[in-house]
Amino acid sequence: MSMTIGLAGKPNAGKSTFFKAATLADVEIANYPFTTINANHGVTYVRVECPCKEKEKRCGKCVDGVRLVPIDIIDVAGLVPDAYKGRGLGNTFLDELRQAQAIIHVVDASGGTDAEGNPVDIGDHDPLEDVAFLNREITMWLYGILERNWVKLARKIQAEGLKLEVVIAEQLAGAGIRESHVNAALIETGLARLDHVKWNEEDMIRLCDTMREISKPMLIAANKSDIASRENLDRLKDLDKIVVSVSAAAELALKSAAKNELIKYSPGDRKFEVLGGDLTKAQKKGLEAIHKVIARLGGTGVQECINRTVFELLDLIVVYPVEDEGKWSDKSGNMLPDAYLMKRGSTCHDLAYQIHTDIGDRFLYAVDARTRLRLGEKHELKNGDVIKIVSTAK
């Protein structure tokens, strides 16, 4: 499935550093607000254990059994309070988030930047305020879109007997809201039982807030955790959210060192190996400092954010389609050539459609490559399954 994670937050919280660390893309990083003017689009990776470890032969698509499955990631320019009203760089960057199925909110856990991203002394700003601020910005952005024509729409729904959830979903389609999101929010808020014509502003904001939570699940990347106080980190982790301690700067340094073959490091590793060579005194000192950081935090946190967003927030699984169930390969002999991210609960027939519409239309059955058992169209796939699809499609 095509999926995109959005990086959001106020200016100067470390989003661009996180983005560069996750993608090694060439982006500008600076210690002032609005470094990112236009959203950066890139590719990052989910880290999984490759099934080829079960075979004598390696697939060639992994390193030491670690497989990296590509996903899209977008770094949205920093938002300041009341961006939904047009402050700062305004609604343009909220609009960029419509593409995202989930959001990683990069927060300056050290409290070293104020509400608008200006540098202040470490600990001077409360990072919990940033969490509440971003939630409100997205909620009010949705409310602004819905409220714009609400009186007219409410009357039309009543006069023509239209479905409430369909009309709201159509109005918010540009923000990535689907009918299922609206339905779930109407039930959760209890507004499904209240005449929509009688909704007040508070009701509509509550509905938009719930749709935000359902349609744009969010993980908190507590960035700059290496210089944050224990109190700040504990308070962030007390939130009813997935919160990960992160040092994006450490991950970027490790990725750069690995790219230059100074160290051996895979994204998400909790340690790295110095390969030798002519390291300068400054490089040695820097790597020693990073070693202490990842030992204290249990890693840099960047890969953990990506993996937990995909597998916990979005509840996806990885499935490997093959054409030869014995060799786990395609027709050309390439072992485990593809890795597909799919929603948990997906079936063999869903996988067939994911591969190609014709294969889905002409699906006959599937084969579990591990057990060689034949599987029906409604068989529910598991994470890590290696599956052959049999169809009449040419």
Side-chain angles (χ1 to χ4, degrees):
M1 65 181 291
S2 173
M3 71 154 299
T4 301
I5 291 176
L7 293 182
K10 70 183 184 185
N12 211 13
K15 289 186 294 78
S16 292
T17 305
F18 188 111
F19 179 84
K20 188 167 185 176
T23 64
L24 279 188
D26 187 17
V27 298
E28 185 181 0
I29 298 170
N31 192 33
Y32 53 81
F34 303 125
T35 305
T36 304
I37 301 299
N38 298 308
N40 294 308
H41 296 254
V43 175
T44 188
Y45 300 87
V46 177
R47 173 177 170 146
V48 296
E49 191 171 288
C50 189
C52 77
K53 290 175 71 177
E54 301 168 34
K55 294 280 194 178
E56 292 181 8
K57 180 185 173 185
R58 296 284 78 83
C59 69
K61 301 287 191 304
C62 66
V63 178
D64 298 330
V66 173
R67 180 124 176 186
L68 299 176
V69 182
I71 59 171
D72 293 328
I73 189 167
I74 179 171
D75 170 27
V76 179
L79 297 171
V80 296
D82 291 339
Y84 72 92
K85 295 179 180 177
R87 280 202 70 231
L89 296 173
N91 276 329
T92 305
F93 309 109
L94 285 165
D95 288 343
E96 292 281 1
L97 286 178
R98 75 188 185 282
Q99 305 168 54
Q101 283 81 50
I103 296 171
I104 295 176
H105 181 186
V106 182
V107 173
D108 178 1
S110 75
T113 43
D114 67 16
E116 301 202 357
N118 300 299
V120 295
D121 290 338
I122 289 174
D124 273 7
H125 182 73
D126 183 356
L128 268 70
E129 292 180 12
D130 298 334
V131 177
F133 135 73
L134 183 61
N135 291 342
R136 178 170 173 77
E137 288 298 324
I138 298 173
T139 293
M140 295 307 292
W141 168 58
L142 294 175
Y143 170 71
I145 298 169
L146 184 61
E147 187 269 340
R148 202 173 297 148
N149 300 310
W150 180 246
V151 174
K152 180 181 175 183
L153 287 172
R155 288 173 182 158
K156 186 176 180 182
I157 292 167
Q158 193 172 43
E160 300 179 20
L162 302 176
K163 283 190 174 182
L164 176 63
E165 61 272 23
V166 172
V167 173
I168 293 175
E170 286 175 353
Q171 186 74 359
L172 294 172
I177 301 292
R178 299 195 301 269
E179 193 177 325
S180 59
H181 300 145
V182 182
N183 256 326
L186 286 169
I187 293 168
E188 190 171 322
T189 57
L191 289 172
R193 299 189 299 272
L194 183 65
D195 184 353
H196 65 277
V197 177
K198 297 178 181 178
W199 289 355
N200 57 29
E201 181 180 341
E202 185 181 333
D203 291 329
M204 291 181 66
I205 290 174
R206 189 157 50 92
L207 177 66
C208 290
D209 198 46
T210 307
M211 286 190 292
R212 170 191 61 77
E213 289 186 341
I214 294 168
S215 68
K216 295 283 187 282
M218 190 178 294
L219 175 145
I220 306 297
N223 195 32
K224 308 181 188 180
S225 283
D226 47 321
I227 56 173
S229 67
R230 172 50 54 190
E231 180 189 2
N232 274 4
L233 293 176
D234 287 344
R235 288 169 65 236
L236 282 167
K237 290 188 175 181
D238 282 342
L239 294 171
D240 186 23
K241 298 276 185 187
I242 299 174
V243 179
V244 179
S245 295
V246 172
S247 174
E251 177 73 7
L252 179 55
L254 289 175
K255 286 270 192 74
S256 298
K259 187 178 180 181
N260 291 317
E261 300 182 343
L262 298 175
I263 63 170
K264 183 180 179 182
Y265 173 74
S266 290
D269 282 355
R270 297 192 172 196
K271 59 184 179 179
F272 59 88
E273 177 189 343
V274 178
L275 296 178
D278 297 325
L279 289 175
T280 66
K281 193 172 182 179
Q283 286 172 327
K284 288 179 181 177
K285 188 176 180 181
L287 289 173
E288 286 169 6
I290 291 171
H291 176 75
K292 291 177 182 176
V293 167
I294 63 175
R296 181 159 57 88
L297 299 181
T300 69
V302 171
Q303 190 63 50
E304 183 182 349
C305 284
I306 295 164
N307 268 48
R308 294 185 72 180
T309 297
V310 170
F311 296 123
E312 289 186 44
L313 273 188
L314 294 173
D315 200 22
L316 302 185
I317 60 172
V318 184
V319 182
Y320 303 84
V322 296
E323 293 180 81
D324 184 325
E325 68 270 38
K327 297 178 180 177
W328 291 12
S329 67
D330 61 16
K331 287 178 180 176
S332 302
N334 299 306
M335 189 177 178
L336 297 171
D338 299 303
Y340 283 28
L341 285 167
M342 304 190 70
K343 193 74 178 172
R344 188 177 301 279
S346 295
T347 65
C348 292
H349 207 175
D350 293 328
L351 176 61
Y353 273 115
Q354 187 92 337
I355 297 168
H356 198 281
T357 305
D358 286 349
I359 293 174
D361 287 342
R362 301 182 183 187
F363 176 90
L364 294 176
Y365 61 90
V367 177
D368 184 324
R370 285 189 176 89
T371 64
R372 308 292 179 90
L373 291 175
R374 181 180 289 203
L375 308 172
E377 63 177 347
K378 294 183 180 178
H379 177 83
E380 191 172 306
L381 299 166
K382 302 186 301 298
N383 189 43
D385 271 351
V386 181
I387 300 290
K388 174 182 178 178
I389 300 293
V390 179
S391 81
T392 59
K394 294 180 179 179

